[in-house]
Structures are given as C-alpha cells and as structure tokens.
Amino acid sequence: MAARAIVSMWVVGVATGALSVTASLAQAEQWFFAADASQRLTGLISSQAVAKAEQALHAEAEPIAFLELLPYILDPHGPGSRLSVRINPVTRQARVRKRAEGVFYTPADVAEYMADACLNSVDGLEPPTMFDPACGTGVFLRAALKEIRRRYPAICAFKLASEYLFGTDIDPWPLHATAFVLLADIWSGQTRRHMAPAMLWQRLSENLVCIDALRIDPAGGDEPAGSADRRFSTAQAERISISALFPALQSGPKVILGNPPYADLGDRLDFPILSHAFKTVAAQPRASSEIYLAFFEQMTRLVADAGAAGALVLPLSIGCNIGPQFVAAREKIMCTPGHWRFAFFDREPHALFGEDVKTRNAIVLWAASPGDKEAIIATGPLRRWRGDSRSAMFESLRFTDIDRDIRAGIPKLEGKLQAEALNALQRRDGLLEHALRSVGRFPLAEVANADERTVFVGPTAYNFLNVFPKPPRSHLTTGQPLSQHPLYAIRCPSHRDALIVFAILSSHLAYWWWHTHGDGFHVSRRFIDQMPFGLEAFTGSGAEQLAACGEDLWSAVRSHPIISMNRGRSSVAYTPNGHDELRRKADTILADLADLDPAFVEELQQFTAHTVAATLRGASTSPTMEKIGT
C-alpha cells in the first residue's frame, strides 16, 4: 500500500499539472507533503527499484488522459478484462478475482447520469449529503462532486468533497485510491496555497470507511461498546449505525448511489442478523444468494427521513427474475413510498459497462418526499443501442408510469400505447397453455421424428423468436453433429392448431410480449404458457385466419433455414423478419381478439424495427412518451 501511495502521488501530481511528466517519485512525495522531509518513503526503496518504476511511469505519462481515467488506472485489481486477457494471459488472475468479487467498475457517463438524476430530486439551498456504500475507486463520488460543483459554484470544491461526500468499501485499497481521485478533482484555486495535498487527502480519507456495508444500520443507534477503530473494523457480527460511523450524517445521507458487488453473499457468521435486517436475505438465507439485493435494500434503509433519493446500477434480473430474493425485492419496492424509475439495458450490440463487461443491466432511480404515501412506478423498454449513439441514449431516457403489481416482474415497455396494451392483455383470462396438450423439451436430433401437430421454440432468442413446425428432414442433415441444447416442443390437438400457435408466437406482438417480460435472451416455458391467448384464439372467428396466416408464413420462411455452428455442432433457425405483412396480419387478428387500440399494431411494427436495428426512439417518434426527471 505504501508503494501504491507513492505512485498515486506521482499520478495525481502529473494529472493536475502540479508535476511535470518527467518528475521523479521523490519530487512527487515532496509535492504531496509540501515539505523537504529528510525521511521519505522513497528513501526506503533501493535506487534501482525507484529508477525502474520511474522509467515505466515516464513512458506512460499523459496528464489529460490520467485526469480522465484516474478512477480506473488506480484500480487495485489491475487490468483484468476479456480484452486484456487476450492480449496478456497474465491478467487472467485479476479477471478471475474481479468476477469472484463481483467487481465491475462503472463508466463515468453512467455515474454522472445517476448523480444528476438524484440531485434533480433533492435540489435545495444546501448541497445534499451523498453516500456510496461500495465506492470502489470513487467513480460515483467523483461524479457526485462534479454535479454539486456545477450546482453550487459559490462553495469551494474541498468543502463540498469533505462535508458532503461519504463512502465505504470492504477493501482498503480502493478507498485510498478514492481519496487520491477526489484530491485530483479539488486541487485548484486557493486550495493549492493553503493546505498541503497530504492534508487534503487525510481529510477526505476521514469520510471513507473500510467496512462491510451490510453491517451498517440506520441513523440514531449507538456505536457498540468496545468496537474496533470505526474505519477498520471487520468483525462480521458487529453492527454500527451510519450516524455513529459518520458523525456528520446524524439523520442519514440525503442521497445513496453506487454500483454494489455482483457476487454471492458467501459464508457468513451473521445470517440471522442479516435475515432480520433484510427481506431479500430472509427470503433465501444462504451463501449462494445475491449480495447486491441487500445493498438495494440499504438504499432505502439508510437515507434521511425528510426527503431522499437513491440510484443503483444492478443486473437486469431485478426486473425479471422470479426467484424468492427478487420477489422480495420487488415487494420492498411496492411497500416503499416515492417515485421509482427503471431503465433497462441489453448487452448487445453494446453494453452499459463497455465491451469487456457484457452484462444486462438496470438503473434503478428512487426519489421520496416526506408527503409520499405510496410507490409510484415508471419503467422503460429493454434498450439496445450502438456505440456511436451512447451519449444520445442517456439524453433520451424516458419513463412510462405503470399501475400494477410488480412482484412477478417489472415490465419493460415504452409509451402510453404499450402500457394500455399490457393492461388489457393482463386482464385476459385465456392463456396459451389452456389450448395446448403439453409443452416438453426435445433435442434437435429428434425433431425429424415429430408429427405435424408439434411446434418447436428455441430456448434463446435475440432479433426474433425461433419458432417452427416440423422442418424438412434435409435441414437436419448438415453433415455435422446437431446441437444438444433441447428445444421446447409444443404439442397441439391438431395440425391446424399448430399453425395457429406458430402464427401467434411468430407475431410482432409475441416478440414484444417476450421483450416486455423477459431478459431479451432466454425464452422460458413460462413465456409460452402465459401468452395471453387461449382457447378463444383457436375457436373464434379469427381462428381460421390465424391458421391461414401461420401456413402462409411457414411457406415463406421454410425455404430459408439459418444453419449455424457452435463448438462443432449445428443448429437450425427460421426467422420471420422480412415478412412483416404476414406478421402484421397476425398482429391485427390478435389485437382485434383482445380489443386493443388499432394504433398498437403500428406501434408493434415500430418496436420490432427499432429493436432489431438497435436504434433509439426519440420524442419525435414517440409523442405519447413523457420525459421524467432527466
């Protein structure tokens, strides 16, 4: 840690222009302490080691880049991305450790968007106190400092950082880095003449505590008698109130934001205590449970009572996983007054955390005023975008209010038409499972032996749902071993019914319904069973039209199989894309059956087109959407 501190002094000095790119480590230490001390840390190191370190640092020195990349170049794990492993296999160990600890550092634009959204909710005459419970190297605290400096220009940066920003982390290494990152951002103006960098760094460090954030309780409790130093206490069973941890937060922070670890809870001694404090732990109190859901609860648990805001970036599963922890988390949302907003992000073609961390994510925003009596929930679509439109994506984030029970999941939709259609479809009693004989699993190698009453559905999807009746045998004789990943096999009462099922599941409406309820990749048995069209679609006036539509669509797509290879095994798919008129016919029949607004049929075409092309829908193309809080 001493070695990292020396290098960090040099990096911050170069980044801020206080040191030249050719400065020595001894000069960096002299600048940091503002004194020509006779005994320095660098004096304890061999001259050969110092010279080697300086040679490496001078070769990489770039002040502007250093200043922008400070949170990341001070990462204690070191390079450990997929790209770095391909370039240098030695970095694999760092990547393995990052994945095991659930460490994914947040891009600056994500942190800045979240900080801005929170501050929009709690703006006042005085800056709000802001807390990051898993601060890492300070990406969110840096974004928060940038935003409060912009909103409160009359207050000096050091006062803002030292009196309003707080953070914790279970690892002391990134905490030291956070203090250096904030130091770099405040090192300007009068600060430079009145205090040594070391004094500023020490004061900033007092707001950064090394502790497991799940051991923190709301403000008002007393510090346990005989506890260890509050900045370095590690006993799992010990608990402490946030006001005892940070005396400046006597009522709790006004804002909590961050990116908690995406890891398991692990083996702990305090499961009974955690189960009492956190509903998501009580729902599944075991080592393999998700830790980030408890951090999510801390967001509403630790804030001040008199108006507060929070923002966390979480895995997409917060919206669609139906495990007991996730149901408990969504029940917590429904019971917590305030305005909740959810922005969802796919991992392709580009990912929120960058190309080296391919995850599907959700930004959760929450704002509560003292007079709030209930939870008001707003959502957005599962967004896809391309790299050159990333900045426009944040500018175009909009939310649609929904009035529904979200325990089974948070729908991902956009605009009034989609929200009204969802409500109408959810009210329907008929489900697809009511019209089927069975739904099982079927290996691709056995598809050729199926009869014409069976429809197959691929277990994963992206730009289209892979749905097809019994295919020509020639499509399954590729000369390569067939995929062993089993398909869903939907057994219908008749060939006509199979064509209806094929038409329904190939429609734009089915693709939208799947996106609205799922994660944009996995196709579940639940999705098939709960499609909101049951026996009435097979017996009513539109049944023959649906069957004809299914027959026409299969005739159009069956001659163009998509044969793909993965790990030496081939699979087959059939895309309905490019046959929009046939799919529109199915959409129209289904919309009539469910008494949906005819304009929703056109909305479905637009939804599919934008989703497949990964283009953003702006306000000009969606006049029914209202921009909220951004």
Side-chain angles (χ1 to χ4, degrees), residues 89 126 168 186 210 257 329 427 454 468 498 553 619:
E126 183 181 358
T168 59
I186 67 174
C210 183
L257 76 173
R427 289 194 295 267
T454 305
F468 55 93
L553 183 59

Side-chain angles (χ1 to χ4, degrees), residues 100 153 617:
R617 298 181 68 171

Side-chain angles (χ1 to χ4, degrees), residues 421-422 425-426 508-518 527 530-532 607:
L422 177 69
L425 291 169
Q426 289 287 168
H508 294 108
L509 193 153
Y511 185 64
W512 170 79
W513 184 264
W514 170 68
H515 247 261
T516 298
H517 292 89
F527 156 73
Q530 298 190 4
M531 271 297 296
F607 163 79

Side-chain angles (χ1 to χ4, degrees), residues 163-409:
E163 296 185 12
Y164 298 98
L165 301 183
F166 302 84
T168 59
D169 202 282
I170 201 167
D171 187 345
W173 289 50
L175 288 174
H176 283 223
T178 295
F180 278 110
V181 169
L182 295 177
L183 170 64
D185 286 344
I186 67 174
W187 184 247
S188 59
Q190 293 184 346
T191 299
R192 185 175 304 183
R193 297 195 295 269
H194 284 83
M195 296 179 71
M199 295 179 65
L200 298 174
W201 184 91
Q202 178 64 33
R203 176 62 187 88
L204 294 170
S205 295
E206 292 175 3
N207 288 1
L208 305 170
V209 176
C210 183
I211 190 174
D212 174 0
L214 299 189
R215 292 175 40 223
I216 305 174
D217 286 327
D222 297 324
E223 185 170 1
S227 67
D229 185 291
R230 70 182 181 88
R231 290 178 297 123
F232 297 99
S233 178
T234 58
Q236 282 192 346
E238 245 177 40
R239 301 197 64 80
I240 185 171
S241 72
I242 196 166
S243 53
L245 196 65
F246 299 112
L249 301 181
Q250 285 304 302
S251 300
K254 292 286 267 186
V255 172
I256 292 181
L257 76 173
N259 174 20
Y262 300 174
D264 296 343
L265 273 167
D267 293 319
R268 301 180 61 111
L269 302 176
D270 58 349
F271 267 115
I273 299 174
L274 293 181
S275 295
H276 178 75
F278 302 106
K279 293 182 181 297
T280 57
V281 177
Q284 191 169 287
R286 60 191 189 202
S288 60
S289 295
E290 299 286 357
I291 195 172
Y292 68 81
L293 293 174
F295 275 83
F296 163 75
E297 289 193 69
Q298 286 288 59
M299 181 178 72
T300 60
R301 188 170 176 264
L302 299 180
V303 291
D305 291 333
L312 293 179
V313 56
L314 302 174
L316 180 67
S317 49
I318 185 69
C320 55
N321 193 303
I322 58 172
Q325 274 196 290
F326 298 89
V327 172
R330 293 190 290 267
E331 286 179 340
K332 176 73 174 177
I333 293 168
M334 294 175 62
C335 295
T336 304
H339 287 75
W340 291 89
R341 292 172 289 160
F342 298 86
F344 300 103
F345 304 88
D346 208 340
R347 57 176 283 175
E348 295 289 354
H350 290 92
L352 193 65
F353 283 4
E355 293 310 284
D356 285 323
V357 184
K358 285 286 194 179
T359 60
R360 299 176 183 85
N361 295 99
I363 292 177
V364 180
L365 304 172
W366 171 68
S369 300
D372 289 339
K373 302 299 183 183
E374 61 183 1
I376 299 174
I377 300 169
T379 186
L382 179 57
R383 290 175 175 86
R384 292 182 185 173
W385 73 99
R386 300 185 185 278
D388 57 1
S389 61
R390 184 178 174 98
S391 60
M393 178 186 67
F394 287 106
E395 294 172 2
S396 67
L397 288 183
R398 291 165 175 81
F399 303 90
T400 301
D401 286 346
I402 56 172
D403 183 14
R404 57 183 290 107
D405 187 328
I406 63 166
R407 284 175 294 180

Side-chain angles (χ1 to χ4, degrees), residues 423-435 513 529-537 593-594:
N423 288 337
L425 291 169
Q426 289 287 168
R427 289 194 295 267
R428 292 176 57 78
D429 294 328
L431 300 177
L432 188 59
E433 64 179 339
H434 299 157
W513 184 264
D529 286 343
Q530 298 190 4
M531 271 297 296
F533 296 95
L535 290 170
E536 72 286 354
L593 188 62

Side-chain angles (χ1 to χ4, degrees), residues 122-137:
V122 296
D123 258 346
L125 297 177
E126 183 181 358
T129 51
M130 307 182 77
F131 172 59
D132 183 348
C135 66
T137 54

